[in-house]
């Protein structure tokens, strides 16, 4: 017997997985009542799960009708990328200002480990999903470095749009290898103390999808 909190968590994770695996159709309007039946739970924990999914940017709730999966369009992609540039760009300069501190050394070490995992992901059985996940983790290291809960919240809110943008971009021939090389270049510039160059590399990297005609 699960309590409401457990049922809410289960429903959230189940629906999120269905969205990420594209088991749910972004063209359809989903009924809260019908989904509750399919999941075998009451509407209360489902409604709570849907509210969380809405807050995290996965769905759009349509009052008294149901919900739809959020879709990536040019405007949403542009806005999410610009927010990322603002947050991650700030984090670059913050990191550079703390070069002498242990947390900066830890950041570099964690980034180096992430780059190794990215390389391994290129030939993994779960490619490109494994590389996409490592891509996200690399950028999250920079965001979490700031120790700013609002940054963390905003990044979480953008994560689904980031996922869709990355997944689309990596279908372009050569983009995966280029992404890894851009990550490596950024890491090296940051490590060498070339703050302005590191910032420029990062912004160009984040803005790249806008010039790729993905949508």
């Amino acid at each position: 017997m699960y309590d409401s909190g457990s049922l809410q968590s289960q429903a959230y994770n189940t629906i999120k997985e269905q969205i990420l695996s594209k088991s749910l159709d972004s063209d359809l309007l989903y009924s809260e009542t019908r989904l509750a039946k399919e999941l075998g739970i009451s509407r209360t924990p489902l409604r709570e799960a849907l509210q969380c999914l809405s807050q995290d940017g996965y769905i759009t709730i349509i009052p008294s009708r149901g919900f739809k999966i959020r879709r990536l369009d040019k405007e949403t992609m542009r806005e999410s990328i610009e927010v990322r540039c603002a947050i991650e760009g700030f984090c670059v300069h913050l990191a550079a200002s703390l070069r002498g501190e242990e947390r900066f050394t830890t950041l570099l070490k964690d980034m180096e480990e992430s780059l190794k995992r990215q390389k391994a992901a290129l030939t993994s059985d779960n490619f490109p999903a494994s590389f996409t996940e490592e891509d996200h983790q690399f950028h999250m290291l920079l965001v979490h470095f700031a120790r700013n809960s609002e940054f963390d919240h905003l990044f979480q809110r953008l994560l689904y749009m980031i996922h869709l943008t990355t997944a689309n971009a990596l279908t372009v021939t050569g983009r995966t290898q280029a992404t890894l090389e851009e990550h490596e270049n950024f890491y090296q510039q940051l490590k060498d103390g070339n703050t302005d160059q590191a910032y420029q590399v990062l912004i160009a990297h984040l803005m790249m999808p806008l010039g790729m005609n993905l949508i």
Side-chain angles (χ1 to χ4, degrees), residues 10-175:
Q10 284 186 330
Y12 176 96
N13 290 328
T14 298
I15 298 169
K16 177 181 172 181
E17 179 56 36
Q18 290 176 341
I19 292 172
L20 292 176
S21 64
K22 298 185 179 180
S23 299
L24 297 181
D25 191 335
S26 60
D27 290 327
L28 298 181
L29 176 66
Y30 286 92
S31 162
E32 187 179 291
T33 303
R34 182 174 177 180
L35 190 57
K37 276 186 180 178
E38 290 178 359
L39 296 177
I41 62 175
S42 67
R43 291 179 65 183
T44 298
L46 176 64
R47 190 175 294 117
E48 292 169 348
L50 292 178
Q51 287 294 336
C52 290
L53 286 163
S54 176
Q55 291 170 8
D56 288 347
Y58 290 93
I59 65 172
T60 299
I61 294 176
I62 303 172
S64 303
R65 294 185 60 198
F67 70 93
K68 297 191 75 171
I69 311 303
R70 287 188 70 199
R71 302 178 67 169
L72 185 66
D73 54 44
K74 289 183 178 180
E75 187 69 6
T76 303
M77 183 170 70
R78 180 187 62 78
E79 290 178 349
S80 64
I81 287 174
E82 288 177 355
V83 172
R84 288 189 69 185
C85 286
I87 293 175
E88 295 186 48
F90 172 84
C91 291
V92 171
H93 290 287
L94 177 63
S97 72
L98 299 174
R99 280 186 60 80
E101 297 195 11
E102 183 179 349
R103 59 190 282 204
F104 179 80
T105 303
T106 300
L107 173 64
L108 291 180
K109 181 180 177 181
D110 290 343
M111 283 187 164
E112 187 175 1
E113 291 301 315
S114 175
L115 289 171
K116 290 177 183 177
R117 292 194 298 271
Q118 289 173 51
K119 288 180 183 178
L122 292 176
T123 55
S124 75
D125 294 336
N126 197 31
F127 178 84
S130 55
F131 185 87
T132 300
E133 178 60 25
E134 288 301 334
D135 181 343
H136 295 167
Q137 293 301 321
F138 182 80
H139 288 275
M140 288 174 73
L141 287 172
L142 186 61
V143 174
H144 292 332
F145 178 86
R147 298 177 181 174
N148 184 313
S149 59
E150 288 299 321
F151 283 1
D152 293 342
H153 175 73
L154 284 169
F155 201 85
Q156 178 63 37
R157 178 74 171 77
L158 294 173
L159 202 53
Y160 182 49
M161 292 299 106
I162 293 171
H163 171 84
L164 293 179
T165 301
T166 303
N168 285 352
L170 293 183
T171 63
V172 176
T173 302
R175 185 58 202 152

